[in-house]
Amino acid sequence: MDNIIKPISDALVKAGVVQDDSLAECVSARWADHLDGKAVVVIVQPFEQGLAA
C-alpha cells in the first residue's frame, strides 16, 4: 500500500497543497471497497499540538 501513498504525496507537493511531504506528522491509508471504481480520498489537516499525544 505504501507504493500508492508516495505518488499521492508527491502530487500534493507539486500542486502546492503541502509545502514538503517530509514534514507530514501522520499518514494513513486503508482499502475502501464501497467506492465505485478506482478512487483516492485525501484529507489534509493542519498540525494541532496535542493531537499527537
Side-chain angles (χ1 to χ4, degrees):
M1 189 174 287
D2 59 329
N3 290 338
I4 296 171
I5 294 172
K6 183 60 177 157
I8 294 168
S9 181
D10 291 344
L12 291 171
V13 172
K14 187 173 182 176
V17 175
V18 295
Q19 183 179 18
D20 184 345
D21 59 347
S22 70
L23 301 175
E25 291 287 324
C26 176
V27 176
S28 64
R30 64 179 173 190
W31 296 113
D33 294 331
H34 65 281
L35 300 174
D36 293 330
K38 296 180 180 180
V40 172
V41 177
V42 177
I43 300 171
V44 178
Q45 296 177 315
F47 173 76
E48 294 182 27
Q49 195 67 25
L51 286 180

Short mmCIF file of all heavy atoms in Angstrom, two decimals:
data_model
loop_
_atom_site.label_atom_id
_atom_site.label_comp_id
_atom_site.label_asym_id
_atom_site.label_seq_id
_atom_site.Cartn_x
_atom_site.Cartn_y
_atom_site.Cartn_z
N MET A 1 0.82 -1.19 0.00
CA MET A 1 0.00 0.00 0.00
C MET A 1 0.86 1.26 0.00
O MET A 1 0.44 2.29 -0.51
CB MET A 1 -0.93 -0.01 1.21
CG MET A 1 -1.96 1.09 1.14
SD MET A 1 -3.20 1.05 2.41
CE MET A 1 -4.18 -0.32 1.89
N ASP A 2 2.09 1.17 0.53
CA ASP A 2 2.93 2.35 0.56
C ASP A 2 3.36 2.80 -0.83
O ASP A 2 3.72 3.96 -1.03
CB ASP A 2 4.14 2.15 1.47
CG ASP A 2 5.01 0.99 1.06
OD1 ASP A 2 4.46 0.03 0.50
OD2 ASP A 2 6.22 1.04 1.30
N ASN A 3 3.29 1.91 -1.81
CA ASN A 3 3.58 2.30 -3.20
C ASN A 3 2.50 3.23 -3.75
O ASN A 3 2.72 3.91 -4.74
CB ASN A 3 3.70 1.08 -4.10
CG ASN A 3 4.94 0.28 -3.81
OD1 ASN A 3 5.91 0.79 -3.27
ND2 ASN A 3 4.91 -0.99 -4.14
N ILE A 4 1.35 3.25 -3.12
CA ILE A 4 0.26 4.14 -3.53
C ILE A 4 0.40 5.49 -2.85
O ILE A 4 0.10 6.53 -3.44
CB ILE A 4 -1.11 3.50 -3.19
CG1 ILE A 4 -1.29 2.22 -4.00
CG2 ILE A 4 -2.25 4.47 -3.44
CD1 ILE A 4 -2.49 1.39 -3.59
N ILE A 5 0.89 5.51 -1.61
CA ILE A 5 0.97 6.75 -0.84
C ILE A 5 1.97 7.74 -1.44
O ILE A 5 1.68 8.93 -1.55
CB ILE A 5 1.33 6.44 0.63
CG1 ILE A 5 0.18 5.66 1.28
CG2 ILE A 5 1.61 7.72 1.41
CD1 ILE A 5 0.51 5.13 2.65
N LYS A 6 3.16 7.29 -1.81
CA LYS A 6 4.22 8.19 -2.27
C LYS A 6 3.82 9.02 -3.50
O LYS A 6 4.02 10.23 -3.51
CB LYS A 6 5.51 7.40 -2.53
CG LYS A 6 6.68 8.25 -2.94
CD LYS A 6 7.04 9.28 -1.88
CE LYS A 6 8.27 10.07 -2.31
NZ LYS A 6 8.36 11.36 -1.65
N PRO A 7 3.24 8.43 -4.55
CA PRO A 7 2.85 9.27 -5.69
C PRO A 7 1.78 10.30 -5.33
O PRO A 7 1.78 11.42 -5.86
CB PRO A 7 2.30 8.26 -6.71
CG PRO A 7 2.84 6.95 -6.31
CD PRO A 7 3.05 7.01 -4.84
N ILE A 8 0.88 9.95 -4.42
CA ILE A 8 -0.14 10.90 -4.00
C ILE A 8 0.51 12.03 -3.21
O ILE A 8 0.20 13.21 -3.41
CB ILE A 8 -1.23 10.19 -3.17
CG1 ILE A 8 -1.98 9.20 -4.06
CG2 ILE A 8 -2.18 11.20 -2.55
CD1 ILE A 8 -2.88 8.25 -3.32
N SER A 9 1.42 11.68 -2.33
CA SER A 9 2.15 12.68 -1.55
C SER A 9 2.94 13.61 -2.48
O SER A 9 2.93 14.84 -2.30
CB SER A 9 3.10 11.97 -0.58
OG SER A 9 3.80 12.88 0.20
N ASP A 10 3.61 13.06 -3.47
CA ASP A 10 4.35 13.88 -4.44
C ASP A 10 3.42 14.81 -5.21
O ASP A 10 3.75 15.96 -5.48
CB ASP A 10 5.11 12.98 -5.41
CG ASP A 10 6.26 12.24 -4.76
OD1 ASP A 10 6.68 12.62 -3.64
OD2 ASP A 10 6.74 11.26 -5.36
N ALA A 11 2.24 14.32 -5.57
CA ALA A 11 1.27 15.14 -6.30
C ALA A 11 0.76 16.30 -5.44
O ALA A 11 0.54 17.40 -5.95
CB ALA A 11 0.10 14.28 -6.77
N LEU A 12 0.58 16.06 -4.15
CA LEU A 12 0.15 17.13 -3.25
C LEU A 12 1.20 18.23 -3.16
O LEU A 12 0.87 19.42 -3.12
CB LEU A 12 -0.16 16.58 -1.86
CG LEU A 12 -1.40 15.69 -1.76
CD1 LEU A 12 -1.46 15.04 -0.39
CD2 LEU A 12 -2.66 16.47 -2.05
N VAL A 13 2.46 17.86 -3.17
CA VAL A 13 3.55 18.84 -3.16
C VAL A 13 3.57 19.60 -4.48
O VAL A 13 3.62 20.83 -4.51
CB VAL A 13 4.92 18.17 -2.90
CG1 VAL A 13 6.06 19.18 -3.09
CG2 VAL A 13 4.97 17.57 -1.50
N LYS A 14 3.50 18.88 -5.59
CA LYS A 14 3.55 19.52 -6.91
C LYS A 14 2.39 20.49 -7.12
O LYS A 14 2.54 21.54 -7.73
CB LYS A 14 3.53 18.45 -8.00
CG LYS A 14 3.76 19.00 -9.39
CD LYS A 14 3.91 17.91 -10.43
CE LYS A 14 4.17 18.53 -11.78
NZ LYS A 14 4.42 17.53 -12.80
N ALA A 15 1.22 20.15 -6.57
CA ALA A 15 0.04 21.01 -6.70
C ALA A 15 0.05 22.17 -5.71
O ALA A 15 -0.82 23.04 -5.76
CB ALA A 15 -1.23 20.17 -6.52
N GLY A 16 1.01 22.18 -4.80
CA GLY A 16 1.09 23.26 -3.82
C GLY A 16 0.15 23.10 -2.63
O GLY A 16 -0.04 24.03 -1.86
N VAL A 17 -0.42 21.92 -2.48
CA VAL A 17 -1.33 21.67 -1.35
C VAL A 17 -0.53 21.59 -0.06
O VAL A 17 -0.94 22.10 0.98
CB VAL A 17 -2.15 20.38 -1.57
CG1 VAL A 17 -3.00 20.05 -0.35
CG2 VAL A 17 -3.00 20.51 -2.82
N VAL A 18 0.63 20.95 -0.10
CA VAL A 18 1.54 20.91 1.04
C VAL A 18 2.91 21.38 0.56
O VAL A 18 3.27 21.22 -0.61
CB VAL A 18 1.65 19.49 1.65
CG1 VAL A 18 0.33 19.07 2.25
CG2 VAL A 18 2.11 18.48 0.65
N GLN A 19 3.67 21.97 1.47
CA GLN A 19 4.97 22.52 1.11
C GLN A 19 6.02 21.43 0.90
O GLN A 19 6.80 21.46 -0.04
CB GLN A 19 5.43 23.50 2.19
CG GLN A 19 6.74 24.18 1.88
CD GLN A 19 7.14 25.14 2.98
OE1 GLN A 19 6.65 25.08 4.10
NE2 GLN A 19 8.04 26.04 2.67
N ASP A 20 6.05 20.46 1.81
CA ASP A 20 7.07 19.42 1.77
C ASP A 20 6.50 18.16 2.42
O ASP A 20 6.16 18.18 3.61
CB ASP A 20 8.31 19.90 2.53
CG ASP A 20 9.47 18.94 2.48
OD1 ASP A 20 9.28 17.76 2.09
OD2 ASP A 20 10.59 19.35 2.84
N ASP A 21 6.38 17.10 1.67
CA ASP A 21 5.77 15.89 2.21
C ASP A 21 6.60 15.23 3.31
O ASP A 21 6.08 14.44 4.08
CB ASP A 21 5.42 14.89 1.10
CG ASP A 21 6.62 14.44 0.28
OD1 ASP A 21 7.69 15.07 0.38
OD2 ASP A 21 6.48 13.47 -0.46
N SER A 22 7.85 15.59 3.43
CA SER A 22 8.67 15.03 4.50
C SER A 22 8.30 15.63 5.86
O SER A 22 8.74 15.13 6.90
CB SER A 22 10.16 15.24 4.22
OG SER A 22 10.50 16.61 4.35
N LEU A 23 7.50 16.69 5.87
CA LEU A 23 7.07 17.32 7.12
C LEU A 23 5.78 16.71 7.68
O LEU A 23 5.30 17.13 8.72
CB LEU A 23 6.88 18.82 6.90
CG LEU A 23 8.11 19.59 6.42
CD1 LEU A 23 7.76 21.04 6.12
CD2 LEU A 23 9.24 19.49 7.43
N ALA A 24 5.23 15.72 7.00
CA ALA A 24 3.98 15.11 7.44
C ALA A 24 4.16 14.46 8.81
O ALA A 24 5.11 13.72 9.03
CB ALA A 24 3.50 14.07 6.43
N GLU A 25 3.26 14.74 9.71
CA GLU A 25 3.28 14.16 11.04
C GLU A 25 2.63 12.78 11.06
O GLU A 25 3.00 11.92 11.83
CB GLU A 25 2.54 15.07 12.03
CG GLU A 25 3.24 16.37 12.31
CD GLU A 25 4.47 16.19 13.18
OE1 GLU A 25 4.45 15.34 14.08
OE2 GLU A 25 5.44 16.91 12.95
N CYS A 26 1.63 12.57 10.19
CA CYS A 26 0.90 11.31 10.19
C CYS A 26 0.32 11.07 8.80
O CYS A 26 -0.23 11.98 8.18
CB CYS A 26 -0.23 11.37 11.22
SG CYS A 26 -1.26 9.90 11.23
N VAL A 27 0.47 9.86 8.31
CA VAL A 27 -0.11 9.46 7.03
C VAL A 27 -0.75 8.10 7.25
O VAL A 27 -0.13 7.21 7.83
CB VAL A 27 0.95 9.37 5.91
CG1 VAL A 27 0.34 8.86 4.63
CG2 VAL A 27 1.63 10.71 5.70
N SER A 28 -1.99 7.94 6.82
CA SER A 28 -2.63 6.63 6.95
C SER A 28 -3.33 6.28 5.65
O SER A 28 -3.68 7.15 4.86
CB SER A 28 -3.62 6.61 8.12
OG SER A 28 -4.68 7.50 7.88
N ALA A 29 -3.52 4.99 5.44
CA ALA A 29 -4.18 4.52 4.23
C ALA A 29 -4.98 3.28 4.56
O ALA A 29 -4.63 2.52 5.48
CB ALA A 29 -3.15 4.20 3.15
N ARG A 30 -6.04 3.08 3.84
CA ARG A 30 -6.85 1.86 4.00
C ARG A 30 -7.61 1.59 2.73
O ARG A 30 -7.85 2.48 1.92
CB ARG A 30 -7.80 1.99 5.18
CG ARG A 30 -8.84 3.08 4.99
CD ARG A 30 -9.75 3.13 6.18
NE ARG A 30 -10.62 4.28 6.04
CZ ARG A 30 -11.40 4.72 6.99
NH1 ARG A 30 -11.40 4.12 8.15
NH2 ARG A 30 -12.16 5.75 6.80
N TRP A 31 -7.97 0.35 2.53
CA TRP A 31 -8.77 -0.04 1.39
C TRP A 31 -10.23 0.31 1.67
O TRP A 31 -10.71 0.19 2.78
CB TRP A 31 -8.66 -1.54 1.12
CG TRP A 31 -7.28 -1.97 0.73
CD1 TRP A 31 -6.45 -2.76 1.47
CD2 TRP A 31 -6.58 -1.62 -0.44
NE1 TRP A 31 -5.27 -2.93 0.82
CE2 TRP A 31 -5.31 -2.23 -0.37
CE3 TRP A 31 -6.86 -0.84 -1.55
CZ2 TRP A 31 -4.35 -2.10 -1.37
CZ3 TRP A 31 -5.90 -0.71 -2.55
CH2 TRP A 31 -4.68 -1.33 -2.45
N ALA A 32 -10.93 0.75 0.63
CA ALA A 32 -12.35 1.08 0.76
C ALA A 32 -13.09 0.45 -0.42
O ALA A 32 -13.09 0.99 -1.52
CB ALA A 32 -12.56 2.59 0.78
N ASP A 33 -13.70 -0.68 -0.20
CA ASP A 33 -14.38 -1.41 -1.26
C ASP A 33 -15.72 -0.80 -1.66
O ASP A 33 -16.28 -1.15 -2.68
CB ASP A 33 -14.61 -2.86 -0.83
CG ASP A 33 -13.30 -3.61 -0.68
OD1 ASP A 33 -12.33 -3.26 -1.37
OD2 ASP A 33 -13.25 -4.54 0.14
N HIS A 34 -16.23 0.13 -0.85
CA HIS A 34 -17.55 0.69 -1.13
C HIS A 34 -17.53 1.84 -2.15
O HIS A 34 -18.58 2.33 -2.54
CB HIS A 34 -18.20 1.17 0.17
CG HIS A 34 -17.48 2.31 0.82
ND1 HIS A 34 -16.33 2.12 1.56
CD2 HIS A 34 -17.73 3.63 0.83
CE1 HIS A 34 -15.92 3.29 2.01
NE2 HIS A 34 -16.74 4.22 1.57
N LEU A 35 -16.36 2.27 -2.61
CA LEU A 35 -16.27 3.33 -3.61
C LEU A 35 -16.49 2.73 -4.99
O LEU A 35 -16.06 1.62 -5.28
CB LEU A 35 -14.91 4.01 -3.55
CG LEU A 35 -14.56 4.68 -2.21
CD1 LEU A 35 -13.13 5.19 -2.24
CD2 LEU A 35 -15.53 5.80 -1.91
N ASP A 36 -17.15 3.47 -5.87
CA ASP A 36 -17.39 2.99 -7.24
C ASP A 36 -16.15 3.24 -8.09
O ASP A 36 -15.79 4.36 -8.37
CB ASP A 36 -18.59 3.73 -7.86
CG ASP A 36 -19.90 3.37 -7.17
OD1 ASP A 36 -20.00 2.25 -6.66
OD2 ASP A 36 -20.80 4.23 -7.14
N GLY A 37 -15.50 2.19 -8.48
CA GLY A 37 -14.31 2.31 -9.32
C GLY A 37 -13.09 2.72 -8.51
O GLY A 37 -13.10 2.75 -7.30
N LYS A 38 -12.04 3.08 -9.21
CA LYS A 38 -10.80 3.49 -8.56
C LYS A 38 -10.95 4.91 -8.05
O LYS A 38 -11.47 5.77 -8.74
CB LYS A 38 -9.63 3.40 -9.53
CG LYS A 38 -9.36 1.99 -9.99
CD LYS A 38 -8.21 1.94 -10.94
CE LYS A 38 -7.96 0.50 -11.38
NZ LYS A 38 -6.84 0.39 -12.31
N ALA A 39 -10.48 5.15 -6.84
CA ALA A 39 -10.62 6.47 -6.25
C ALA A 39 -9.56 6.68 -5.18
O ALA A 39 -9.04 5.72 -4.61
CB ALA A 39 -12.00 6.65 -5.63
N VAL A 40 -9.25 7.92 -4.93
CA VAL A 40 -8.38 8.32 -3.83
C VAL A 40 -9.08 9.43 -3.08
O VAL A 40 -9.58 10.38 -3.69
CB VAL A 40 -7.02 8.84 -4.35
CG1 VAL A 40 -6.19 9.42 -3.22
CG2 VAL A 40 -6.27 7.74 -5.06
N VAL A 41 -9.15 9.30 -1.79
CA VAL A 41 -9.72 10.35 -0.94
C VAL A 41 -8.58 10.88 -0.08
O VAL A 41 -7.92 10.11 0.62
CB VAL A 41 -10.86 9.80 -0.05
CG1 VAL A 41 -11.38 10.88 0.88
CG2 VAL A 41 -11.98 9.22 -0.91
N VAL A 42 -8.34 12.18 -0.15
CA VAL A 42 -7.25 12.80 0.59
C VAL A 42 -7.84 13.83 1.54
O VAL A 42 -8.63 14.68 1.13
CB VAL A 42 -6.24 13.49 -0.35
CG1 VAL A 42 -5.15 14.18 0.43
CG2 VAL A 42 -5.65 12.47 -1.32
N ILE A 43 -7.46 13.75 2.80
CA ILE A 43 -7.86 14.74 3.80
C ILE A 43 -6.58 15.35 4.35
O ILE A 43 -5.73 14.65 4.89
CB ILE A 43 -8.68 14.10 4.93
CG1 ILE A 43 -9.94 13.45 4.37
CG2 ILE A 43 -9.01 15.14 6.00
CD1 ILE A 43 -10.70 12.60 5.36
N VAL A 44 -6.43 16.66 4.19
CA VAL A 44 -5.25 17.37 4.68
C VAL A 44 -5.70 18.28 5.81
O VAL A 44 -6.62 19.06 5.64
CB VAL A 44 -4.60 18.21 3.56
CG1 VAL A 44 -3.39 18.97 4.10
CG2 VAL A 44 -4.19 17.32 2.39
N GLN A 45 -5.06 18.12 6.96
CA GLN A 45 -5.40 18.93 8.12
C GLN A 45 -4.13 19.59 8.65
O GLN A 45 -3.07 18.97 8.63
CB GLN A 45 -6.01 18.08 9.23
CG GLN A 45 -7.32 17.45 8.85
CD GLN A 45 -7.85 16.55 9.96
OE1 GLN A 45 -7.10 15.77 10.52
NE2 GLN A 45 -9.11 16.68 10.28
N PRO A 46 -4.26 20.82 9.17
CA PRO A 46 -3.09 21.44 9.78
C PRO A 46 -2.71 20.72 11.07
O PRO A 46 -3.58 20.14 11.74
CB PRO A 46 -3.55 22.87 10.07
CG PRO A 46 -5.04 22.80 10.15
CD PRO A 46 -5.44 21.67 9.23
N PHE A 47 -1.46 20.75 11.39
CA PHE A 47 -0.98 20.12 12.63
C PHE A 47 -1.53 20.89 13.82
O PHE A 47 -1.48 22.11 13.86
CB PHE A 47 0.56 20.12 12.66
CG PHE A 47 1.10 19.66 13.97
CD1 PHE A 47 1.08 18.32 14.31
CD2 PHE A 47 1.62 20.57 14.86
CE1 PHE A 47 1.60 17.89 15.51
CE2 PHE A 47 2.13 20.15 16.09
CZ PHE A 47 2.12 18.81 16.41
N GLU A 48 -2.06 20.18 14.79
CA GLU A 48 -2.54 20.79 16.02
C GLU A 48 -1.83 20.15 17.19
O GLU A 48 -1.86 18.92 17.34
CB GLU A 48 -4.05 20.61 16.16
CG GLU A 48 -4.83 21.35 15.08
CD GLU A 48 -6.33 21.21 15.25
OE1 GLU A 48 -6.78 21.01 16.40
OE2 GLU A 48 -7.04 21.30 14.25
N GLN A 49 -1.17 20.97 17.99
CA GLN A 49 -0.46 20.46 19.17
C GLN A 49 -1.44 19.69 20.05
O GLN A 49 -2.56 20.12 20.25
CB GLN A 49 0.15 21.64 19.95
CG GLN A 49 1.18 21.21 20.94
CD GLN A 49 2.43 20.64 20.30
OE1 GLN A 49 2.76 20.94 19.17
NE2 GLN A 49 3.13 19.81 21.03
N GLY A 50 -1.03 18.56 20.52
CA GLY A 50 -1.88 17.77 21.39
C GLY A 50 -2.53 16.59 20.69
O GLY A 50 -2.89 15.63 21.33
N LEU A 51 -2.68 16.64 19.37
CA LEU A 51 -3.26 15.53 18.65
C LEU A 51 -2.32 14.33 18.61
O LEU A 51 -2.75 13.20 18.51
CB LEU A 51 -3.64 15.93 17.22
CG LEU A 51 -4.85 16.81 17.05
CD1 LEU A 51 -5.07 17.13 15.58
CD2 LEU A 51 -6.10 16.15 17.62
N ALA A 52 -1.04 14.59 18.64
CA ALA A 52 -0.06 13.51 18.55
C ALA A 52 0.11 12.74 19.85
O ALA A 52 0.78 11.73 19.89
CB ALA A 52 1.28 14.08 18.09
N ALA A 53 -0.48 13.20 20.90
CA ALA A 53 -0.30 12.56 22.22
C ALA A 53 -0.93 11.21 22.31
O ALA A 53 -1.66 10.69 21.67
CB ALA A 53 -0.88 13.46 23.31
#
